[in-house]
Amino acid sequence: MKLVRSLGRITPALKQFPEKEKRIGFVPTMGAFHEGHISLIRKAKKENDVVVVSIFVNPTQFAPNEDYEKYPRDIRRDREKAKNAGCDILFCPDTGSMYPKGYNTYVEVKKAAALMCGRSRPGHFRGVTTICAKLFNIITPDTVYFGRKDYQQALIVKNMVNDLNMDLKIKILPIVREKSGIALSSRNRYLLPAQREDAKLLYQALKKARKIIRAGERDVSRIRSAIRKVLNKPGINIDYISIASPDTLKRKRKIDENVLIALAAKIGKVRLIDNMLVGVGIKNKGAKIC
Ligand code: PAF
């Protein structure tokens, strides 16, 4: 595996691979790898000739009050993990070269980016789509891999790729969970032992919602109440509970198609998200995203 730390070296590194065996699979990340990231790299390895993984903690997707400075960074550990999972090029550019002085261009997807996490983190998705557009232009991948835990992010990036006619495919892979049910996230490391108990309730709330939908409940307000009941603990501060169309993220009143149930909550100071797609055997109205 080649480690490329400078923007100027990435194109020559890609050119070293022979042109005719060059299906490029790309996994954009902010590092602090866990099994979720590793599953994306392994899948990219299976499906491509060259696997590029980027590690870049992107300042434009963090608000000033968020954890940009504190975000876990451990390239040495990540480097080993990426190599073992099949990465060919690990690209870790510096902030100054990605956003040089005078940088002035942003990519913004509307609608879906204003909902769910977009409400509580204004500007977050603009940062995500901007850095993804830049990375896609630099790496020129055939396929880009995202995890479904960040469902909204993956959908928004997919919207950008369609709207801007980018010549690449987005693949969204399943959420990887701990045995306890907690969805893997680089931020889980901030959780204290008692908070981990609270964090488990997110998945339990999703399972509860799925169970009552499967039992025939179609009224969204009753499903939301059932979720609230599970999460009703002093250590849990709910940001949103969204029961929405998986294609547009628009909230539903009645369940009349397969739905995305998405949650965000603060456990102490740690903001966690989780989601579940629940099928009701009715064809979705829009284009299917996963
Ligand atoms: O999901 C992430 O790690 C980031 O949002 C991404 C896609 C790498 C963009 O910075």
Side-chain angles (χ1 to χ4, degrees):
M1 185 186 77
K2 205 174 170 78
L3 175 65
V4 178
R5 283 183 178 272
S6 108
L7 184 53
R9 297 233 166 93
I10 186 68
T11 306
L14 284 163
K15 281 200 172 128
Q16 280 177 1
F17 290 88
E19 206 47 57
K20 59 178 182 344
E21 333 162 345
K22 213 165 76 178
R23 263 182 320 150
I24 301 176
F26 176 43
V27 184
T29 81
M30 298 204 300
F33 291 162
H34 50 67
E35 270 309 304
H37 296 111
I38 301 306
S39 71
L40 302 181
I41 303 172
R42 288 207 186 104
K43 183 72 168 177
K45 187 68 180 175
K46 264 197 195 141
E47 297 185 345
N48 299 277
D49 304 307
V50 183
V51 175
V52 182
V53 178
S54 65
I55 298 180
F56 180 67
V57 184
N58 174 34
T60 63
Q61 68 189 75
F62 290 82
N65 61 330
E66 292 183 341
D67 57 345
Y68 172 68
E69 297 296 343
K70 260 183 52 199
Y71 198 86
R73 291 160 171 89
D74 190 349
I75 297 257
R76 228 193 304 156
R77 178 181 156 277
D78 285 347
R79 185 177 174 169
E80 217 34 50
K81 288 190 170 235
K83 187 169 126 196
N84 293 339
C87 172
D88 297 297
I89 300 177
L90 184 62
F91 178 46
C92 310
D94 60 281
T95 311
S97 57
M98 294 305 277
Y99 295 110
K101 201 161 174 270
Y103 184 86
N104 196 28
T105 302
Y106 294 87
V107 180
E108 191 171 4
V109 171
K110 301 282 188 185
K111 291 186 184 159
L115 304 170
M116 289 168 39
C117 289
R119 273 188 215 274
S120 25
R121 304 186 69 190
H124 168 69
F125 290 116
R126 184 175 93 134
V128 169
T129 40
T130 299
I131 195 65
C132 284
K134 285 168 71 67
L135 289 167
F136 296 172
N137 281 337
I138 295 164
I139 308 292
T140 63
D142 294 278
T143 308
V144 184
Y145 296 82
F146 286 95
R148 193 177 292 167
K149 186 178 78 67
D150 297 296
Y151 185 99
Q152 186 176 15
Q153 164 172 281
L155 175 71
I156 288 166
V157 172
K158 217 168 170 179
N159 285 178
M160 172 187 78
V161 165
N162 286 337
D163 288 349
L164 299 184
N165 311 93
M166 293 179 170
D167 187 17
L168 56 92
K169 226 162 83 190
I170 299 287
K171 282 213 173 169
I172 303 167
L173 302 191
I175 297 176
V176 181
R177 297 184 182 278
E178 294 181 356
K179 265 208 186 106
S180 68
I182 298 177
L184 295 188
S185 159
S186 304
R187 290 190 171 102
N188 290 350
R189 66 184 66 195
Y190 303 141
L191 293 168
L192 302 170
Q195 294 175 328
R196 294 183 62 78
E197 293 307 308
D198 288 342
K200 289 179 193 169
L201 295 177
L202 265 63
Y203 186 48
Q204 286 177 23
L206 291 170
K207 285 200 297 190
K208 173 80 187 180
R210 180 175 63 191
K211 191 170 167 198
I212 62 177
I213 293 171
R214 283 183 177 165
E217 183 60 81
R218 294 291 178 264
D219 183 301
V220 163
S221 62
R222 282 204 283 267
I223 300 163
R224 289 165 62 83
S225 304
I227 292 175
R228 271 187 197 287
K229 232 180 189 171
V230 179
L231 297 178
N232 185 17
K233 283 204 70 190
I236 304 181
N237 205 338
I238 299 172
D239 177 2
Y240 65 77
I241 298 169
S242 173
I243 301 179
S245 152
D247 306 313
T248 61
L249 307 185
K250 275 200 198 137
R251 286 191 180 193
K252 315 233 37 130
R253 288 212 186 122
K254 278 238 163 296
I255 298 194
D256 56 357
E257 63 175 345
N258 301 330
V259 286
L260 172 78
I261 306 180
L263 307 176
K266 270 198 162 172
I267 314 277
K269 286 192 175 150
V270 190
R271 188 174 183 281
L272 298 181
I273 55 173
D274 202 347
N275 68 74
M276 187 181 270
L277 285 163
V278 180
V280 289
I282 305 169
K283 229 177 163 207
N284 281 56
K285 292 171 186 136
K288 238 179 156 303
I289 107 141
C290 316

